[in-house]
Amino acid sequence: MEAGAGIGLYPLHRCKTIYLVRHAQGIHNVDGDKNYKAYMSQDYFDAELTQLGWQQVDNLRKHVRSSGLHKKIELVISSPLMRTMQTAVGVFGGDGYTDMSDVLPLMVANAGNSNRAAISSSNCPPIITEESCREHLGVHPCDQRRSISDYQFLFPAVDFSLAKSDEDKLWKADVRETIEELAARGKKFLNWLWTRKEKEIAIVTHSGFLFHTLNALQSECHPDVKKEICSHFANCELRSMVIVDRSMLGSDKSVTDYPGKIPKGIDLPSDAVVENDNNIKGE
C-alpha cells in the first residue's frame, strides 16, 4: 500500500475547515511574471491590485455566494498588506456602503487606487489581520507593509489589534527570509489557529507563504493528494481544506457529541454476551 493511502478517522471537534485564498493579481505580478528582478522595484512597494485583479475578486465573490460559503465562514484572516486586504474585503465583505450607515466601512472609496466604491462591514464575517501569514519577508519592496495607522484610515472596520507595532519591523531591505524560516512561520500560524474558537476560517494570503507552508505539511499524504495540496495557487484561487489537532493544542469540547446513558441503565454490549456464553459452553 502506498504511503498515506487508505482512510482515517478523527474527532470533528479537533478539526477546522480553512479556506485558503491567494490574493488577486497585484501590479507587481504583471512585470514580475515576465522578469523576476521586477520584484526588486520600489515602484511596487506594498503592491495594490490591478483592475484585472479586481475582476478576479468580483468573480470569486460570486462563487463564495453561489456556493453558500459566505454563510459558513465565521472569520476572515488577512495578511496585512494592501493586495491581500483589498482581496479580503472585496470577496468576503458586505455590499455597497452608504454614508448614512451606522457602521464603519471595511474599505473607503478608492483605497489603494482601486477606483472602487466603499465596502460595507454589514452582513459579513469579521476581518482581522495577522502578521504571521505574510509573504516571504525581506528585500522585495512589494512585500513591505505600510504603517498600521495608514491602513486603519483606508480599512476602518478591519481589526488590526494583533499588530505588535505600527511600523513594519519584520521586513528587512537586505535580508531575505529563508524558505525554512517561512515554513516554520507557516506552521506556527496554523498552530495559532487552534487558539481561535471559530471552526470555519478564510485566510487571504500569498503564493510563497502557501506553497512553502503546505509543502512542509504534506509528508503523510497520498502522492495524488500532495499534488492537489502543494501546487502553486493562481491569483484569487480558493482551496478548502481541513486541519486536524493531532497535538491536542485545542481545548474545545465537542458541541455535537452526546454522552449517552441518560438515564443510566445496563448496557453490556451484545458481543460481550456472546463471548460470555461461549466461555460457559467451554467449561
Side-chain angles (χ1 to χ4, degrees):
M1 184 178 289
E2 295 182 74
I7 62 173
L9 296 173
Y10 220 76
L12 180 61
H13 70 282
R14 296 204 174 275
C15 302
K16 288 182 188 285
T17 302
I18 57 174
Y19 304 95
L20 300 175
V21 179
R22 181 191 174 194
H23 63 78
Q25 185 192 69
I27 57 172
H28 64 308
N29 293 137
V30 178
D31 287 340
D33 286 347
K34 303 172 186 175
N35 179 8
Y36 185 77
K37 292 182 179 179
Y39 290 122
M40 302 290 292
S41 173
Q42 194 63 36
D43 293 340
Y44 300 132
F45 164 71
D46 191 19
E48 69 266 16
L49 298 186
T50 64
Q51 289 307 306
L52 177 65
W54 277 106
Q55 292 175 35
Q56 294 170 342
V57 166
D58 291 339
N59 287 327
L60 179 54
R61 180 184 179 87
K62 292 175 184 176
H63 168 74
V64 165
R65 276 154 181 73
S66 65
S67 65
L69 284 182
H70 69 297
K71 296 179 180 179
K72 296 181 179 180
I73 294 171
E74 302 167 68
L75 177 70
V76 178
I77 301 173
S78 176
S79 160
L81 272 78
M82 179 65 71
R83 59 190 181 273
T84 42
M85 290 189 291
Q86 286 178 320
T87 301
V89 301
V91 172
F92 300 106
D95 294 321
Y97 177 83
T98 64
D99 290 336
M100 299 299 292
S101 299
D102 293 329
V103 295
L104 291 171
L106 280 171
M107 186 182 83
V108 300
N110 200 37
N113 302 311
S114 64
N115 197 30
R116 290 278 172 138
I119 297 174
S120 174
S121 59
S122 297
N123 302 314
C124 66
I127 300 179
I128 68 172
T129 62
E130 168 55 33
E131 298 263 28
S132 58
C133 65
R134 284 176 59 176
E135 183 58 297
H136 219 140
L137 293 167
V139 181
H140 294 175
C142 57
D143 300 326
Q144 182 180 12
R145 72 164 171 81
R146 304 165 200 242
S147 67
I148 295 299
S149 53
D150 284 347
Y151 286 142
Q152 286 173 324
F153 174 77
L154 299 172
F155 301 94
V158 171
D159 184 350
F160 296 95
S161 62
L162 295 176
K164 293 181 172 61
S165 63
D166 187 49
E167 300 299 325
D168 188 357
K169 295 183 178 181
L170 298 176
W171 187 91
K172 307 296 181 185
D174 55 350
V175 179
R176 184 74 166 163
E177 186 179 31
T178 67
I179 290 175
E180 292 76 18
E181 289 170 336
L182 174 54
R185 174 161 60 85
K187 287 183 178 180
K188 185 177 180 181
F189 169 76
L190 292 177
N191 285 338
W192 170 77
L193 289 181
W194 290 107
T195 69
R196 304 288 316 186
K197 65 180 180 180
E198 298 87 2
K199 293 295 186 182
E200 304 220 16
I201 302 173
I203 299 154
V204 184
T205 180
H206 308 264
S207 175
F209 175 84
L210 289 165
F211 181 76
H212 295 298
T213 299
L214 295 176
N215 268 277
L217 294 171
Q218 50 71 41
S219 59
E220 298 181 12
C221 297
H222 185 280
D224 289 343
V225 177
K226 290 180 183 180
K227 294 178 183 178
E228 190 175 347
I229 291 176
C230 299
S231 59
H232 281 284
F233 277 62
N235 282 128
C236 225
E237 180 179 354
L238 180 152
R239 295 182 198 170
S240 307
M241 299 187 188
V242 174
I243 56 173
V244 297
D245 180 17
R246 289 176 175 163
S247 300
M248 304 293 282
L249 293 170
S251 59
D252 292 346
K253 293 183 178 180
S254 172
V255 296
T256 55
D257 289 357
Y258 185 74
K261 210 171 184 179
I262 301 175
K264 291 183 178 181
I266 297 173
D267 62 352
L268 189 68
S270 59
D271 58 347
V273 174
V274 172
E275 181 180 347
N276 186 53
D277 185 51
N278 288 335
N279 289 336
I280 293 173
K281 289 179 181 179
E283 291 179 353

